Amino acid sequence: IEGSTPLLERRFTRRDFGRIAAGAAAIGALSGYVAAPEAGASPRLPADRRSRVTDVSLQTSWVPNPEFGSLYVAEKKHYWSKKGLHVTLLPGGPNVALTAVVASGKALVAMDSVTGVAQANLTAGSTKFRIIGAEFQKSPYAIVSLPSKPLHKPSDLKGTKIGVAAGDLTSFKAFLKINHVAESAVSIVPISFTTTPLTSGQVDGQVVFFTTQSVSLQVAGHNPVTMLWADFNFNQYNHCYFTLDTTLHHKEAELVELMGGIVRGAELYVKKPEKVIALSESFYQSSGVITAKGARLAARKYAEIMVSHTTKAHGLLWMGEARQNLRTMAASGITGVPATIFTNKILKKAYKVK
């Protein structure tokens, strides 16, 4: 990796591939390349701009909700404005083509899963987009079960009925393959994203997001047992902040200040998730996407998957697990992705200015 030192139903589905295709098409309209600044130069805003506000936009990956708490805190506590940045947070949704927004220049940075960015690059035929930070170090994918028949590890899946939504089937099969569990040993039951099949006894376990359906089960009074895939060799970064490769050079100062604010917001999220929720409510509460109790429970889970051995050694959002991400994507059929899709160059400088 360049720069290295020795409750809401969010899935990667066919709809995402539509977004990726749109993004790749938009890239073709771009031209020109600005030379990089001299090596070792400090990434400071130009003198004529430090006295005024610089406007940038950040495209979020989904509708406003607690998972973007780091961003809301950066805005609320003026982490960006104190550095001369005015950041507009653009809401995402099922019809927002994330890579297209960045390719068109409507946003300096956007968020997506590592697979979303990788697929966009593969479609474009080059590393047009670079990931400059990964907030969720652990994949939120999980299998949830109930205490009456708990599923703690992959081998427990043998002889069980597991509910899997269509958009999660490829990933689930990859999870089985990585953990040497034969598909024939598991009865796969097609389901939607609700947890009714599990609570009604139709299935023994269900593929979910650790941060969503498991929370809804808790809110409903259940005590779910969660098998986080990241603990069993299936890991992909999520909440990846990405930008155009060319932007790394000619807008480095803005990127450094932007990511510095995000890192500060993430640090508070990890230390005091409920405080972040309290500060963030005004950004999403009007949408009614989640209850106050659900937001508090979800916040703890978001904070949990932000931390890894890598972030403890370097800092939040740092990317040091490129090989595992590439292996997991390969198991899902996404091959030919170079490790250069990740760069810690901006983060290294952001840690110094935050």
Side-chain angles (χ1 to χ4, degrees):
I1 304 174
E2 180 185 338
S4 294
T5 55
L7 304 139
L8 294 166
E9 311 304 347
R10 183 70 184 94
R11 290 292 189 271
F12 184 68
T13 63
R14 289 188 181 92
R15 183 169 60 198
D16 296 279
F17 283 91
R19 293 205 321 263
I20 292 165
I27 298 168
L30 299 179
S31 63
Y33 187 91
V34 179
E38 183 179 351
S42 299
R44 300 180 64 193
L45 292 173
D48 64 334
R49 293 172 60 182
R50 289 199 293 272
S51 60
R52 61 185 175 87
V53 174
T54 300
D55 292 309
V56 301
S57 293
L58 192 159
Q59 175 67 60
T60 61
S61 56
W62 201 238
V63 297
N65 71 88
E67 69 184 278
F68 305 127
S70 300
L71 306 180
Y72 301 148
V73 165
E75 173 67 21
K76 194 88 169 183
K77 295 182 76 67
H78 308 290
Y79 294 158
W80 290 318
S81 61
K82 291 176 181 176
K83 298 289 186 177
L85 285 186
H86 175 263
V87 180
T88 298
L89 300 177
L90 305 176
N95 299 313
V96 177
L98 302 174
T99 51
V101 174
V102 173
S104 67
K106 292 179 180 178
L108 180 70
V109 170
M111 306 167 67
D112 203 352
S113 65
V114 64
T115 52
V117 181
Q119 285 282 11
N121 282 338
L122 290 172
T123 301
S126 63
T127 308
K128 292 290 185 181
F129 300 103
R130 304 286 295 280
I131 297 173
I132 58 176
E135 190 162 17
F136 291 172
Q137 293 283 304
K138 299 177 181 178
S139 170
Y141 265 124
I143 292 174
V144 67
S145 56
L146 297 176
S148 56
K149 191 172 183 180
L151 303 174
H152 296 288
K153 56 187 184 299
S155 60
D156 293 342
L157 300 177
K158 296 177 181 178
T160 63
K161 294 181 180 180
I162 302 298
V164 186
D168 298 329
L169 186 57
T170 298
S171 294
F172 180 58
K173 289 183 176 181
F175 175 73
L176 294 177
K177 179 180 179 181
I178 289 171
N179 288 285
H180 309 292
V181 176
E183 287 183 32
S184 59
V186 180
S187 178
I188 298 176
V189 180
I191 61 169
S192 64
F193 292 119
T194 72
T195 55
T196 301
L198 178 64
T199 57
S200 66
Q202 298 174 49
V203 296
D204 302 309
Q206 184 172 334
V207 174
V208 300
F209 263 21
F210 174 67
T211 51
T212 52
Q213 292 102 321
S214 61
V215 170
S216 66
L217 285 167
Q218 286 181 276
V219 171
H222 297 283
N223 185 27
V225 177
T226 304
M227 184 196 308
L228 192 63
W229 291 10
D231 294 334
F232 297 97
N233 305 309
F234 183 105
N235 198 27
Q236 293 177 336
Y237 292 138
N238 214 309
H239 264 218
C240 296
Y241 295 90
F242 70 92
T243 191
L244 286 167
D245 178 61
T246 52
T247 301
L248 287 175
H249 305 292
H250 69 270
K251 290 195 175 180
E252 182 183 271
E254 290 93 331
L255 290 172
V256 169
E257 300 292 5
L258 179 68
M259 294 306 292
I262 294 171
V263 169
R264 289 188 68 186
E267 288 173 344
L268 185 60
Y269 210 144
V270 168
K271 292 177 182 177
K272 299 179 179 180
E274 293 194 4
K275 180 176 181 179
V276 168
I277 290 303
L279 289 169
S280 303
E281 285 178 341
S282 62
F283 289 87
Y284 63 81
Q285 61 184 1
S286 62
S287 64
V289 296
I290 193 169
T291 65
K293 180 180 180 180
R296 290 193 299 272
L297 291 170
R300 296 172 195 156
K301 295 182 181 295
Y302 289 130
E304 184 176 335
I305 62 175
M306 289 181 189
V307 179
S308 66
H309 293 301
T310 297
T311 63
K312 289 178 180 178
H314 296 278
L316 293 177
L317 281 81
W318 189 267
M319 299 170 292
E321 307 293 336
R323 291 183 179 179
Q324 185 177 31
N325 272 259
L326 297 177
R327 284 197 299 268
T328 300
M329 282 193 284
S332 301
I334 303 172
T335 59
V337 181
T340 52
I341 189 175
F342 306 106
T343 175
N344 287 311
K345 174 185 177 182
I346 299 299
L347 278 178
K348 285 184 72 174
K349 297 180 178 180
Y351 291 154
K352 296 177 181 179
V353 303
K354 69 182 178 69

